[in-house]
Amino acid sequence: MLILGIETSCDETAAALVADGRVIRSNVIASQVEIHARYGGVVPEVASRQHLLQMIPVVERALSQGGAAWSDVDAIAVTYGPGLAGALMVGVNMAKAVALARGLPLFGINHLEGHVYAAWLEGRQPDVDPGFPLVVLVASGGHTDLLLMEEHCRYRLLGMTRDDAAGESFDKAARVLGLGFPGGPAIQRVSQGIKIEEVRQELPRAWLRGTLDFSFSGLKTALLHKAQEQGLADGGGASRPKEVAEMAAAFQESVVDVLTAKTLAAASDAGAKGIILGGGVTANARLRERLRAKAGGLPVFIPSPGLCVDNAAMVASCAFYHAGRRNADGLDLDVVPSLKLG
Ligand code: KG4
Ligand code: ZN
């Protein structure tokens, strides 16, 4: 079954062809990151316009790179939430138009569930199916959710952030330190040369004991105050890259410590057979390394970094598992900007 996936929830216009939920035939992403970087974050109206400009060429490229004609496509999958309303609308309208014109089944997909299914793609993992339940950490620019995946397409929410998402906190911390947008990759890059054991900067960790919830806004404020006290905020760090890098590394370590500990605690409490990571923050090298090192014998499935960030292959993969379990959506499918999972 060949599914065309479409993703426009934030600032990537993406389309992909995936066979049988696992094999990527093409995975095209037109990133708007350089356009939004000028403003220090995603500007919703600019994102919608860019999606409009890119949508048709990106879909055409996904077909041609996948060596497929429209007649080879069996279904259309599209992200219908959560995300920016105007951005989601471009993808959903494109998907509906194609479904109508070609008489194809249409599957609206939850973007967060898409991030889960990135772990199934391309057989990148030797054994992607240890059975259920699995504990899933989805950490992105808008969400930090811990979920119990009880079986395909069925989830229970175990914990979530009470304030900022992990990715959002990386983006804000990078802005304070003058490292640019998006913050996660920038913080990872400057932290790479730093030996964390030698860093004396101490930043707090919000454990919220007894829950699987997260909180990152206190950490963000602590970083802001420290950076101001040490003259590293508001451009002050430009001439002191080593100190900025140490502060960035301390920040990254705080986020990674909490994400790792809570994910492992959730897996242990639930008797999970494995752990799945997904979402842009799980592209973070330190998080990947720490979780793998601490998981003991528990299988940890982490998509390659390029599939952790937003893409349409994950949307197409997810739809394959929906297709066997529920009816397709009608042409009345609408965007749901605050859609939840679990
Ligand atoms: O999943 P994603 O691409 O888009 C959303 O659905 O939000 O996640 C984007 C977020 C941004 O906040 C970005 O700073 C963060 O993921 N991110 C990272 C890394 N790469 C992207 N955070 C930490 N380390 C990274 N290497
Ligand atoms: Zn995402």
Side-chain angles (χ1 to χ4, degrees):
M1 185 179 192
L2 189 65
I3 300 185
L4 173 74
I6 294 175
E7 155 65 44
T8 62
S9 67
C10 191
D11 60 343
E12 325 280 1
T13 317
L17 280 176
V18 174
D20 298 332
R22 298 287 290 267
V23 182
I24 298 176
R25 293 264 299 266
S26 64
N27 188 21
V28 178
I29 303 175
S31 175
Q32 308 173 5
V33 71
E34 280 173 25
I35 297 166
H36 298 290
R38 269 182 254 155
Y39 307 100
V42 177
V43 183
E45 184 62 19
V46 173
S48 310
R49 284 169 192 233
Q50 278 306 116
H51 285 311
L52 271 176
L53 291 172
Q54 294 290 341
M55 189 77 268
I56 291 173
V58 162
V59 166
E60 284 175 344
R61 248 185 290 152
L63 284 172
S64 67
Q65 287 181 12
W70 279 114
S71 54
D72 300 320
V73 177
D74 298 305
I76 308 292
V78 64
T79 300
Y80 74 107
L84 304 168
L88 289 163
M89 248 177 243
V90 177
V92 166
N93 284 332
M94 176 74 186
K96 288 203 273 194
V98 172
L100 178 66
R102 303 294 317 180
L104 291 170
L106 170 71
F107 290 93
I109 297 297
N110 182 320
H111 178 82
L112 302 170
E113 192 180 10
H115 277 304
V116 177
Y117 275 91
W120 264 261
L121 279 167
E122 229 190 13
R124 278 167 196 279
Q125 319 291 350
D127 173 12
V128 174
D129 237 326
F132 296 102
L134 298 166
V135 156
V136 183
L137 170 69
V138 179
S140 68
H143 293 82
T144 312
D145 288 349
L146 265 173
L147 298 146
L148 188 66
M149 186 178 191
E150 294 164 323
E151 55 179 80
H152 275 296
C153 311
R154 218 178 73 202
Y155 309 86
R156 194 150 58 77
L157 185 66
L158 301 174
M160 61 190 285
T161 182
R162 295 186 183 175
D163 40 57
D164 294 351
E168 188 181 354
S169 76
F170 269 101
D171 294 336
K172 288 177 175 170
R175 192 175 311 156
V176 167
L177 296 174
L179 294 171
F181 173 84
I187 287 187
Q188 173 175 321
R189 194 173 52 248
V190 300
S191 302
Q192 251 149 12
I194 301 293
K195 286 203 176 69
I196 195 70
E197 319 74 65
E198 294 170 9
V199 172
R200 285 192 308 280
Q201 301 283 3
E202 254 306 307
L203 289 168
R205 285 133 178 83
W207 290 111
L208 307 181
R209 303 241 180 240
T211 79
L212 291 170
D213 282 349
F214 300 96
S215 166
F216 296 106
S217 81
L219 169 63
K220 169 194 69 189
T221 308
L223 173 111
L224 176 65
H225 289 161
K226 278 206 177 231
Q228 284 172 337
E229 275 163 26
Q230 297 175 24
L232 295 174
D234 305 317
S239 57
R240 293 153 65 199
K242 175 93 191 307
E243 287 156 86
V244 167
E246 287 188 348
M247 186 78 87
F251 174 85
Q252 174 176 267
E253 204 64 11
S254 285
V255 177
V256 166
D257 267 355
V258 176
L259 292 178
T260 304
K262 294 243 167 191
T263 304
L264 293 173
S268 156
D269 290 355
K273 297 204 172 105
I275 293 172
I276 287 181
L277 300 195
V281 175
T282 69
N284 185 270
R286 183 74 179 152
L287 175 63
R288 299 160 77 91
E289 169 196 312
R290 288 284 302 282
L291 242 159
R292 287 207 169 103
K294 294 200 143 198
L298 204 61
V300 181
F301 304 113
I302 317 179
S304 59
L307 290 172
C308 288
V309 294
D310 289 351
N311 66 85
M314 67 187 198
V315 176
S317 169
C318 182
F320 174 78
Y321 294 91
H322 275 243
R325 289 173 175 80
R326 67 165 170 99
N327 293 330
D329 291 301
L331 290 175
D332 57 350
L333 177 72
D334 202 356
V335 304
V336 183
S338 58
L339 188 64
K340 305 267 186 288
L341 185 62

